[in-house]
Amino acid sequence: AVGRAEQRLGLTGQPRVVVFHEKRGMDGQLRRHAHAVWCRIDADRMRAVQMSFDRPKLQAVARELYLEQGWTMPRGFVRHEERNPRNYSLAEWQQAKRAKKDPAKLKAMFQDCWAISDSQASFANALKENGYILARGDRRGVVAVDHQGEVYAVRQYVGIPSKRVRERILDRDRLPSVARAHHEAAQLVTDRLRELEAEQKREALRNLRRLADQRRRAQLAQRDATVRALQEQRERRERKAREREARLKTGWRGLIQRITGKRRKIEAENHASAEKAMQRDLTEHKALIDRQRSIRQAVLARAKAEKNARRTVLADLEADIRHVETSKPSPEEARDAARSDYVKRQRKEKERPRRPPRNRDGPSPGR
């Protein structure tokens, strides 16, 4: 283990110290373990050895040792790249659908499931947590089946002899057939896809209510802004009108304005000022309407985009459900396949040549 860790971390040739000692655990038992310490400084270059991603590398070494020694691996060592399809979120399902399965990761998943299990039931449960159903192969082998109907030989993907598989899978005849396992795996995925579809529909309804509430609040806010703007314009018109009226004098001063012709000039200026104020109010009101219309159009465009995106997601989910439903065998087909497999096995048992009974009084016949 120390040598493998040294090689994997790139510390080959570096000085090291290994210390063994015993330590009493929580249960009072003495346990012997070791500590390994390396010097990372390269004496020739006087630089530290680069040692990135040391934890994943050491965990990979530990995983290899567990698999080689046949020890039961702690569940904390299990990789989480392969998620249970029953627990997929929508983003994880879309990512899993886009990504192609990596053979190395797939083999590592099977090895982890084997290493953390110590019986047929625990191995089947570990595979099921990753979306695979343990099944009985057609040639007396043990296989795993996914929701697409792909069949994986356990011996090949775990990388162990068939004898060790038989030692753990003691009750092979009670395993489902490949068709039945395909049906079960596909049913798990179909149920989860229907849950995702229902979640998307509920989310769409919540979004519609939220957008409707936003539009209602925006309409109220715009209505209040329009009322305030009109009120401000009216108050400004009244103030300006009073200012224009104040320029026209009364009494003897007004008489002087009339005699000198100044009053006619002031009236013309007031009329022009009132026309200009009216045009300004109309321009401001039109700008306010255009600004509010652009806000409403942006809200409607966002709502339409969300609706189209939700519709696309629901269409994809419905297509995935139809694809899984059409690809999986029906319960009748799975039952017929299991019955046919049972009949074949019974026929093989009958056709298998029987050994003649042993003669206890003398040698067996044929000897």
Side-chain angles (χ1 to χ4, degrees), residues 19 23 35 139 146 177 187 189 210 244 256 269 279 299 310-311 318-319 326 349 363:
V19 179
K23 186 176 180 180
H35 296 270
R139 299 181 179 178
D146 63 4
S177 63
Q187 190 61 43
V189 174
R210 176 176 55 83
R244 287 192 293 269
I256 294 175
E269 290 176 354
Q279 286 297 123
V299 173
R310 193 76 57 183
R311 186 179 300 165
E318 291 175 0
T326 54
E349 289 292 335

Side-chain angles (χ1 to χ4, degrees), residues 15-241:
R16 76 183 185 198
V17 176
V18 181
V19 179
F20 291 87
H21 72 97
E22 291 181 345
K23 186 176 180 180
R24 195 175 299 276
M26 297 293 293
D27 55 359
Q29 297 294 326
L30 284 176
R31 290 183 175 82
R32 188 167 182 259
H33 63 280
H35 296 270
V37 183
W38 283 267
C39 176
R40 287 183 56 195
I41 302 301
D42 187 345
D44 296 333
R45 297 185 301 165
M46 292 305 295
R47 295 179 61 182
V49 176
Q50 180 66 27
M51 198 172 62
S52 303
F53 307 107
D54 55 327
R55 287 182 179 273
K57 292 176 181 178
L58 292 176
Q59 194 167 10
V61 172
R63 184 179 287 108
E64 293 172 1
L65 293 173
Y66 271 105
L67 291 172
E68 291 177 4
Q69 300 297 327
W71 299 329
T72 301
M73 187 184 298
R75 296 194 66 86
F77 273 64
V78 178
R79 296 179 178 91
H80 297 283
E81 290 88 350
E82 292 284 339
R83 292 288 306 278
N84 187 348
R86 292 177 297 173
N87 298 328
Y88 272 153
S89 65
L90 178 62
E92 290 168 343
W93 168 256
Q94 292 172 340
Q95 181 182 12
K97 190 173 65 171
R98 290 191 303 266
K100 295 182 179 179
K101 291 184 178 179
D102 186 356
K105 291 183 178 180
L106 188 61
K107 192 169 185 178
M109 184 276 299
F110 273 94
Q111 290 176 347
D112 290 346
C113 291
W114 181 268
I116 65 173
S117 59
D118 55 359
S119 64
Q120 176 176 333
S122 59
F123 182 53
N125 290 331
L127 286 176
K128 192 172 183 179
E129 289 179 359
N130 290 276
Y132 299 84
I133 302 298
L134 190 65
R136 182 180 63 252
D138 297 334
R139 299 181 179 178
R140 297 189 59 80
V142 179
V143 297
V145 185
D146 63 4
H147 70 278
Q148 296 177 343
E150 294 291 335
V151 180
Y152 306 89
V154 170
R155 179 195 62 78
Q156 178 181 356
Y157 278 86
V158 177
I160 57 175
S162 301
K163 180 180 178 182
R164 290 183 59 186
V165 177
R166 290 193 297 269
E167 289 175 353
R168 182 167 299 182
I169 311 300
L170 300 175
D171 199 359
R172 174 184 172 276
D173 293 336
R174 299 194 61 177
L175 293 176
S177 63
V178 171
R180 183 63 186 175
H182 180 198
H183 178 81
E184 292 181 10
Q187 190 61 43
L188 293 176
V189 174
T190 303
D191 293 342
R192 181 52 184 161
L193 289 178
R194 293 193 184 280
E195 291 176 3
L196 290 176
E197 184 182 25
E199 290 175 4
Q200 289 301 304
K201 290 181 179 179
R202 289 193 295 269
E203 184 68 22
L205 183 60
R206 286 194 295 267
N207 285 339
L208 286 176
R209 293 174 178 172
R210 176 176 55 83
L211 291 172
D213 186 58
Q214 289 180 357
R215 286 197 297 269
R216 185 169 55 255
R217 289 200 302 267
Q219 289 174 356
L220 293 175
Q222 290 180 356
R223 188 179 304 167
D224 294 341
T226 303
V227 170
R228 286 196 304 270
L230 293 175
Q231 180 68 23
E232 291 174 358
Q233 288 181 355
R234 184 168 56 253
E235 292 175 355
R236 184 173 59 188
R237 283 196 303 270
E238 293 175 355
R239 185 176 67 253
K240 293 296 183 181

